[in-house]
Amino acid sequence: MQSLTRIIGAANVLVVVTAIVGLWLLPASDRPVAAPPARAAERSTPQPTGPAVEEAAQPPGVVATPEFARQVKANELGLVPVLMYHRLVAKRRSSIDRTPAQFRQELEKLARKGYVPISAKEFAAGDIRVPAGKFPVVLTFDDGHPSHFAFDAGGGPARDTAVGILLDVAGRHPGFRPVATFWVNHTPFGLRTEREQAAAVRWLTGNGFEVANHTWSHPDLRSLPVKNVRKQIARLDRMLARLGADPVTTMALPYGSMPRAKKAARQGSWNGTRYDFDGVFLAGAEPSVSPYAKDFDRGAIQRIQSNGKKGECRKWCSQYWLEWLDKHPGKRYVSDGDPERVSVPRRLRGNIEAKRRPQVNAY
């Protein structure tokens, strides 16, 4: 009996060794790749599971190596377009308005070019989960206009709103995450009752969207004393908490105007409510530097106005910059698909902020 046991044990070992050797002989592209270990925050915080983000919210299962990063031309110190939208209206009445058709066309172009939306919250925190070889883009909407989100008769998002259009485009382009950030004031999406507001905020946050701070009444913060700046921000944070929003970690400056005391836009308190944002966003002009870069200023993050190439937008708006990034691919953020590493060409490794250096994957 002991001899038989030894023979069976030896046979099992032989099977295991043969399997390992067989896997090693496979081409590198066919070998199974282990997913990176979950971060502590992922283990303790549930991920969005709403119908709009079921598969897109899952992190890519790639472990990047220098060779792999070189293959996909990863550059996680590259520029990221943070696009700024206001109203979507059939007939534009302001230079910053866009029509629903123009918005749809821009989304289609982004999807075809390989961009993947992430939220402002994810961007400011440096939590960029984009497949290898793809480019992050941040879609942001100011003022909480009714054209951004409304319910249809069936209780879903109306088709002609920003959310409805984004969901439709994402449905026809697998991998194009239906994710955006809505910075609202005290009457989000034109809804008058707290019950309506709470229903909208909870639907959006439950489906992977971000609803965050654009101040209570949209003043020019530079014109206010510091105590009123803090009141404008904290009062809106308090309202969002009451409506059931996720903890607010970003805000956008009305008119892009920084208060005289810059720190007051990012941190402060009023009447027992404290705020401390990961990111404060400007009104635009150029793509943002990577959140992993030494010169990333989370208190003044650049955005780009969505618009064509006319007037002052000949150089400073989305059509110009998206074309510029196409012509200068080495300047654009390209993901390595691995959220645990920051992959960059070797010549750029000295530009990474100190706390990210243990994650550096230089090639």
Side-chain angles (χ1 to χ4, degrees):
M1 179 65 70
Q2 290 179 354
S3 297
L4 180 60
T5 301
R6 284 196 298 270
I7 292 171
I8 293 173
N12 287 336
V13 170
L14 181 60
V15 168
V16 172
V17 171
T18 302
I20 292 172
V21 171
L23 285 174
W24 180 251
L25 292 175
L26 284 173
S29 59
D30 293 336
R31 295 176 198 159
V33 180
R39 295 179 179 179
E42 294 172 344
R43 291 192 292 268
S44 60
T45 305
Q47 295 295 309
T49 56
V53 292
E54 286 177 354
E55 294 185 8
Q58 299 304 314
V62 171
V63 177
T65 63
E67 293 75 16
F68 181 80
R70 182 182 296 106
Q71 180 183 349
V72 299
K73 299 180 180 178
N75 178 12
E76 297 186 322
L77 282 180
L79 298 173
V80 176
V82 182
L83 302 185
M84 176 180 68
Y85 300 93
H86 287 82
R87 297 181 303 186
L88 299 183
V89 290
K91 185 175 181 179
R92 297 174 66 187
R93 297 186 293 274
S94 168
S95 63
I96 59 176
D97 289 341
R98 299 294 267 164
T99 68
Q102 288 171 330
F103 176 58
R104 180 183 294 275
Q105 288 167 4
E106 189 156 71
L107 293 184
E108 293 277 1
K109 180 178 180 180
L110 291 167
R112 290 194 304 269
K113 294 286 186 178
Y115 285 93
V116 177
I118 63 173
S119 68
K121 177 179 181 177
E122 292 168 329
F123 179 69
D127 187 17
I128 301 178
R129 296 170 183 269
V130 171
K134 300 293 186 179
F135 327 122
V137 62
V138 187
L139 309 176
T140 69
F141 296 80
D142 289 12
D143 307 337
H145 191 260
S147 63
H148 299 165
F149 179 76
F151 287 113
D152 63 14
R159 293 182 61 184
D160 60 347
T161 61
V163 172
I165 294 169
L166 176 54
L167 290 173
D168 182 59
V169 172
R172 289 182 291 104
H173 293 274
F176 191 75
R177 292 178 72 209
V179 172
T181 293
F182 297 93
W183 282 307
V184 302
N185 306 119
H186 72 281
T187 311
F189 312 113
L191 301 171
R192 295 294 174 180
T193 71
E194 187 167 308
R195 181 177 179 179
E196 292 173 318
Q197 294 169 359
V201 168
R202 288 171 180 165
W203 190 96
L204 287 166
T205 56
N207 284 274
F209 295 90
E210 178 187 7
V211 182
N213 198 312
H214 199 40
T215 73
W216 180 260
S217 61
H218 203 280
D220 180 346
L221 296 182
R222 191 164 186 80
S223 69
L224 301 182
V226 173
K227 65 178 181 180
N228 288 351
V229 170
R230 293 175 180 142
K231 179 179 179 180
Q232 280 283 331
I233 297 170
R235 192 177 180 191
L236 200 283
D237 255 22
R238 182 182 294 182
M239 183 197 80
L240 289 176
R242 188 171 66 247
L243 295 179
D246 293 334
V248 177
T249 62
T250 68
M251 73 92 66
L253 298 165
Y255 313 109
S257 181
M258 188 72 68
R260 287 190 295 272
K262 178 180 175 181
K263 185 178 178 181
R266 187 178 170 202
Q267 296 175 319
S269 64
W270 170 79
N271 196 25
T273 298
R274 294 193 59 81
Y275 60 90
D276 186 356
F277 300 125
D278 287 339
V280 174
F281 290 74
L282 301 172
E286 58 190 59
S288 174
V289 300
S290 166
Y292 310 137
K294 287 195 297 189
D295 58 351
F296 178 68
D297 182 357
R298 62 185 62 255
I301 301 172
Q302 288 280 5
R303 289 192 289 166
I304 305 167
Q305 177 186 321
S306 173
N307 220 321
K309 292 168 66 175
K310 295 182 179 179
E312 66 178 11
C313 280
R314 282 192 299 255
K315 186 172 181 181
W316 302 113
C317 297
S318 60
Q319 183 180 345
Y320 168 83
W321 278 115
L322 292 173
E323 291 176 359
W324 188 92
L325 289 169
D326 282 344
K327 294 174 184 175
H328 301 83
K331 300 290 187 180
R332 178 167 49 192
Y333 185 114
V334 182
S335 175
D336 67 358
D338 184 349
E340 300 298 328
R341 290 166 171 77
V342 178
S343 292
V344 294
R346 187 170 296 277
R347 70 182 187 279
L348 299 178
R349 65 182 306 164
N351 297 337
I352 295 177
E353 66 170 337
K355 74 175 184 178
R356 297 284 181 178
R357 285 174 190 163
Q359 298 174 260
V360 173
N361 181 38
Y363 64 92

